[in-house]
Amino acid sequence: DPTAYLHALRRHWVIATGLGLLVAILVGPAAWFVYGPRYSANALLRIAAEEQTLVFQTAENTAQTEFDIYKGTQRQRVKSRFVLTAALRKPEVSKLECIRRQEDPIAWLAEELSVGFPGKAEIMEVSLAGDNPQEVATLVGAVVGAYVEEVVNAEQNQRRHRLDELDRVYADKETEVRTKRTDFKKLAEQLGTGDSVALSLKQQNALQELASYRSELMAVQFRLLRAKGELEAGRASLEGTDDYEISEIELDSYAQADPVTRRLQAELFFRRSDAAYTAAATVVGTKSPYVERHRRDIQLVEDQYNAMGEELREKIQRKRQLDIQNNLRELEIQVDILTTQEAQLEDDVDLKRKEAEKYGGSSIDVEMMRSEIEHLNQVLTGIANERERLKVELRSTSRITVIQEAEPPETTDRTARLPLATLAVLMGMALPACCIAWWDTRAQRINSATDVSKGLGLPVIGAMPVIPTQAIRQLGSPSTRHINWHTRLTESADGIAARLLRKAQLEQTRVVLITSPMGGEGKTTLATQIAMSLARSEHSAVLVDFDLRRPAFDEIFGLPLKPGVSEFLRGENDVAEVVQRTATNDLSVVTAGRWDRQALTALAGGAAGALFEKLREEFDFVLVDASPVLPVADTRFVSQHVDAVLFSVLRDVSQAPKISAACEILKGFGVRNMEAVMTGPSESGRYKDLGYEPRLPA
């Protein structure tokens, strides 16, 4: 916390101021006389804000950086290692005494050399201070000369080298353009044209022809497929003609077409008619020779007709086979023709496809080659223009020019002597203060109530003012000043007592141990003021002095030292004998008594618990002023028998690590209810931190 250093200076400002003045008195004159006379040599260079041009703007000019960045770059270049090395390499510089004295001349020169831009102008000043005017002038001149040679002239050489590079690139690009044009000419001769539009039209015609051939090929393939199917079906039909049954209808149809068969059918019809007529004319039951003859004639004609039917069946079978064979021969001829057409069309389609692809790919190649040639021509034109501009601009003046050479100074430079002495005085005054503040903050002293409540997590229930010793002795004086002090003291104690009364109502907290991590932190004064405040509020209170090694209540209240706590612990006196009344109503005191090892042994054995139980029965509050927690173990034994522990924290004296250590020790002995009271200066701001500010009488 930075405020801790301010509090440290507040506590020790007298000694810090005294030591600071003493050190300043010693180091200020020493710095003035030790620095001695100094000579400063200067050289001036002009750095133009923009690149100097004769006519044209080259690529280097158009890509300039901001002027501030350019100036900063040149400043670093002046102090760069390669420039300083080149300067120190010169014979007139390497012999200088100031250089020969240095272990690392480059590092020394980089540190001592000053490069700046006075007034933010276009002027760069290179200066060096030393005790020998001739040497500093020589060094500055060598550095400026090395800078001009290594940086300024190098930039001009780079421009010439850039022109050479442009010439080489121009020649390469020119050769590349010629090669591309030759390739383009050859491709145009192969295609018959170099126009991409004409090539595109040729490609479209080729694609249309390709589509027509493909359509015709698909039609031929379809007819070929159908013919092959019919051929297979005919062959299958030819193989099955022997098993084919000829129906009566088909047979009658062929019989009607055959004259012999028709004649036999007619004769058979007439004979059957005659037989039927004869049979009708013959008496039933008689035999007629005509009937028998008609039957034989009918049978003879039927046999002839049946024989003719078989012959017709064979004729139909042979005719069917012959028709199928003729159809198969026609289909085979058709398949052969279609197969030949398919092969021819496939060749035509492949040819047209290659032709379309050739025109399509060639048109793209022609267009790409033409674009490449145009692009190369543009690049070639740009390179040529830049070459011509750069040839002209090589004659322009440099952006950096030397306008004043370094000369040996004739007078001493005192501009740095006074600031150095002033800085030494300020450092001399600040160093003791910083050391004292650092030393004090290591103790981590308490500076405010916030350090206790937020820093340590220990609740602060009130604040007590620090009253000067002279004011304490005259608190009963009728003067307004002493009445104000008395009012501050009593109202602060009353506020803490009110808090204890409230805790007693809510938590039955009646036995309160008041202690501190170390001695001299105001615990006895705090215990006395709280007890007197409780007595003023008509609550009986008893003060128990458990600081057995350093008793105080006997002197404060003018009471005998014994019998007291030590005598009760040893069993020599009971409670009634050790409690002593005071001049303040409702306030009693138990002094420490004569301490010895036997009393400490009884305290460690828990004898204090019996004392507190009996005092709790007779008084409303028992306030125990115990010894410091860290130096001795007495308070640790006593803390086991109390209701709460109240730490007295003295501003600028108490230390946070010790308070924290004391809290941890008491927690180890079972204490959980711990609070603190802040004792500090009597400014009203201390009370405002706690949300309370007493009103003082006029």
Side-chain angles (χ1 to χ4, degrees):
D1 184 4
T3 59
Y5 294 96
L6 298 179
H7 286 290
L9 293 177
R10 173 182 55 79
R11 286 189 285 267
H12 306 288
W13 68 271
V14 176
I15 186 171
T17 303
L19 289 176
L21 290 175
L22 179 60
V23 174
I25 292 173
L26 295 176
V27 301
W32 176 267
F33 290 106
V34 168
Y35 189 70
R38 306 282 288 179
Y39 297 91
S40 179
N42 303 319
L44 299 179
L45 296 90
R46 180 180 181 270
I47 298 182
E50 297 180 355
E51 188 72 36
Q52 304 299 303
T53 60
L54 287 177
V55 181
F56 302 108
Q57 287 285 342
T58 63
E60 296 172 340
N61 306 139
T62 56
Q64 290 187 40
T65 57
E66 294 184 3
F67 186 46
D68 290 339
I69 299 177
Y70 185 77
K71 291 195 298 184
T73 303
Q74 300 310 314
R75 181 189 296 112
Q76 295 301 320
R77 284 182 170 182
V78 172
K79 301 182 70 172
S80 60
R81 192 171 188 86
F82 70 92
V83 170
L84 299 182
T85 302
L88 294 175
R89 196 180 293 120
K90 295 183 177 182
E92 66 273 15
V93 174
S94 60
K95 298 178 181 179
L96 297 179
E97 184 64 28
C98 61
I99 297 299
R100 299 171 67 179
R101 289 198 304 263
Q102 306 301 326
E103 295 182 1
D104 188 354
I106 296 177
W108 171 81
L109 185 57
E111 182 178 357
E112 295 294 327
L113 192 67
S114 175
V115 182
F117 292 85
K120 297 183 179 180
E122 295 183 350
I123 303 301
M124 180 171 69
E125 181 182 27
V126 181
S127 61
L128 180 67
D131 53 5
N132 190 314
Q134 187 63 41
E135 290 184 352
V136 295
T138 303
L139 275 174
V140 172
V143 171
V144 172
Y147 168 70
V148 171
E149 294 172 2
E150 301 293 333
V151 176
V152 180
N153 294 341
E155 289 182 354
Q156 192 71 5
N157 294 333
Q158 288 177 0
R159 297 177 73 181
R160 294 190 180 93
H161 178 69
R162 183 168 176 269
L163 179 60
D164 296 337
E165 287 294 320
L166 286 175
D167 292 338
R168 183 182 61 79
V169 172
Y170 182 82
D172 294 342
K173 289 298 178 183
E174 192 175 26
T175 302
E176 187 176 355
V177 168
R178 290 198 193 96
T179 303
K180 290 291 182 183
R181 287 176 177 172
T182 302
D183 295 341
F184 181 77
K185 183 178 179 181
K186 291 180 180 179
L187 181 60
E189 290 175 352
Q190 292 176 359
L191 298 175
T193 180
D195 187 6
S196 59
V197 177
L199 289 173
S200 179
L201 292 175
K202 286 187 176 183
Q203 183 189 15
Q204 291 179 5
N205 294 333
L207 289 174
Q208 290 177 357
E209 292 179 0
L210 175 63
S212 176
Y213 278 111
R214 282 179 175 174
S215 178
E216 187 176 354
L217 176 62
M218 291 176 63
V220 170
Q221 288 175 341
F222 176 74
R223 292 198 301 271
L224 177 61
L225 183 63
R226 185 175 63 182
K228 287 181 178 179
E230 293 176 354
L231 181 61
E232 293 296 327
R235 289 173 179 172
S237 178
L238 180 63
E239 292 176 358
T241 53
D242 295 337
D243 300 329
Y244 184 76
E245 291 291 337
I246 300 174
S247 64
E248 294 297 330
I249 296 174
E250 188 177 3
L251 184 61
D252 289 341
S253 176
Y254 273 95
Q256 293 296 330
D258 186 31
V260 177
T261 305
R262 284 200 309 269
R263 184 180 59 79
L264 287 175
Q265 285 180 345
E267 186 177 357
L268 181 62
F269 175 75
F270 288 122
R271 287 186 180 277
R272 286 177 179 174
S273 298
D274 290 343
Y277 176 78
T278 301
T282 302
V283 179
V284 178
T286 63
K287 293 184 180 179
S288 174
Y290 296 104
V291 172
E292 182 65 25
R293 188 182 59 186
H294 283 302
R295 187 184 61 80
R296 286 195 302 270
D297 292 339
I298 291 172
Q299 183 65 41
L300 179 61
V301 175
E302 286 181 352
D303 291 340
Q304 291 178 357
Y305 181 77
N306 291 333
M308 185 60 67
E310 291 298 327
E311 291 179 2
L312 287 176
R313 289 181 187 275
E314 292 178 0
K315 288 180 180 180
I316 293 171
Q317 192 79 12
R318 287 195 299 272
K319 184 177 183 303
R320 178 176 292 172
Q321 291 178 351
L322 183 60
D323 291 339
I324 293 174
Q325 289 175 355
N326 292 332
N327 189 28
L328 288 176
R329 281 194 293 272
E330 292 177 359
L331 289 174
E332 288 175 353
I333 294 172
Q334 185 178 1
V335 167
D336 292 340
I337 294 172
L338 291 175
T339 302
T340 303
Q341 290 179 352
E342 181 186 25
Q344 182 63 37
L345 288 173
E346 286 179 349
D347 293 339
D348 293 340
V349 167
D350 186 59
L351 180 62
K352 291 298 179 182
R353 180 180 56 79
K354 292 180 179 179
E355 184 178 355
E357 290 177 353
K358 180 185 71 172
Y359 285 125
S362 299
S363 63
I364 296 174
D365 293 339
V366 167
E367 192 62 32
M368 290 181 61
M369 193 171 294
R370 180 181 285 108
S371 298
E372 290 180 0
I373 292 173
E374 291 178 358
H375 176 69
L376 288 174
N377 284 331
Q378 293 176 0
V379 173
L380 194 63
T381 302
I383 296 174
N385 293 336
E386 183 67 17
R387 285 174 63 208
E388 296 304 322
R389 293 192 190 100
L390 191 56
K391 287 179 180 179
V392 174
E393 293 304 320
L394 279 175
R395 301 179 182 180
S396 63
T397 58
S398 175
R399 187 175 181 180
I400 302 172
T401 55
V402 179
I403 59 177
Q404 177 181 314
E405 299 284 351
E407 297 180 356
E410 298 179 357
T411 59
T412 59
D413 181 13
R414 297 188 178 184
T415 55
R417 197 174 187 184
L418 182 60
L420 181 64
T422 303
L423 179 62
V425 170
L426 295 177
M427 293 293 294
M429 294 186 66
L431 183 61
C434 294
C435 293
I436 291 173
W438 174 80
W439 169 79
D440 184 82
T441 52
R442 294 184 64 188
Q444 300 184 32
R445 302 183 189 277
I446 300 299
N447 300 312
S448 65
T450 305
D451 294 345
V452 181
S453 60
K454 294 184 178 180
L456 299 175
L458 191 63
V460 179
I461 64 172
M464 294 289 290
V466 175
I467 303 177
T469 304
Q470 184 178 2
I472 292 178
R473 294 174 182 174
Q474 300 178 8
L475 283 179
S477 173
S479 65
T480 301
R481 178 172 177 272
H482 292 89
I483 291 175
N484 290 343
W485 280 116
H486 186 269
T487 301
R488 287 183 180 276
L489 182 62
T490 55
E491 290 192 359
S492 298
D494 290 346
I496 300 171
R499 178 67 181 268
L500 294 179
L501 287 171
R502 183 61 177 168
K503 287 178 65 67
Q505 293 175 0
L506 298 176
E507 305 173 7
Q508 294 299 316
T509 304
R510 295 171 53 198
V511 180
V512 180
L513 184 145
I514 300 173
T515 184
S516 60
M518 300 295 292
E521 297 184 21
K523 62 180 181 60
T524 301
T525 302
L526 177 62
T528 303
Q529 294 300 322
I530 294 175
M532 294 179 69
S533 177
L534 290 171
R536 287 195 299 271
S537 62
E538 298 182 354
H539 291 82
S540 59
V542 59
L543 271 171
V544 182
D545 192 354
F546 251 100
D547 194 352
L548 304 180
R549 293 171 173 78
R550 298 178 61 184
F553 288 165
D554 53 329
E555 295 182 2
I556 293 174
F557 293 97
L559 300 174
L561 179 61
K562 63 177 186 176
V565 174
S566 297
E567 284 71 23
F568 177 84
L569 295 176
R570 290 194 296 268
E572 298 174 0
N573 298 94
D574 57 11
V575 173
E577 294 173 345
V578 298
V579 176
Q580 304 181 49
R581 300 292 177 181
T582 65
T584 303
N585 294 332
D586 294 327
L587 179 62
S588 301
V589 174
V590 178
T591 58
R594 296 292 181 182
W595 172 83
D596 57 12
R597 291 292 178 182
Q598 185 179 357
L600 180 59
T601 302
L603 177 62
L611 174 62
F612 294 147
E613 289 298 326
K614 294 180 180 180
L615 293 177
R616 189 192 297 267
E617 296 174 358
E618 297 183 12
F619 298 93
D620 295 334
F621 287 92
V622 179
L623 301 179
V624 183
D625 178 24
S627 57
V629 177
L630 298 180
V632 295
D634 300 4
T635 303
R636 308 174 191 182
F637 300 133
V638 178
S639 65
Q640 303 175 74
H641 308 289
V642 301
D643 299 330
V645 173
L646 193 62
F647 279 97
S648 176
V649 179
L650 183 59
R651 183 192 181 197
D652 297 335
V653 175
S654 300
Q655 300 177 15
K658 294 182 178 180
I659 297 174
S660 179
C663 292
E664 292 297 325
I665 290 174
L666 295 185
K667 285 180 182 178
F669 280 85
V671 178
R672 294 295 178 265
N673 191 354
M674 290 182 286
E675 296 174 324
V677 173
M678 184 73 184
T679 302
S682 58
E683 290 88 349
S684 59
R686 297 298 98 196
Y687 297 90
K688 290 179 180 178
D689 291 343
L690 302 169
Y692 170 73
E693 182 177 10
R695 292 182 178 274
L696 304 180

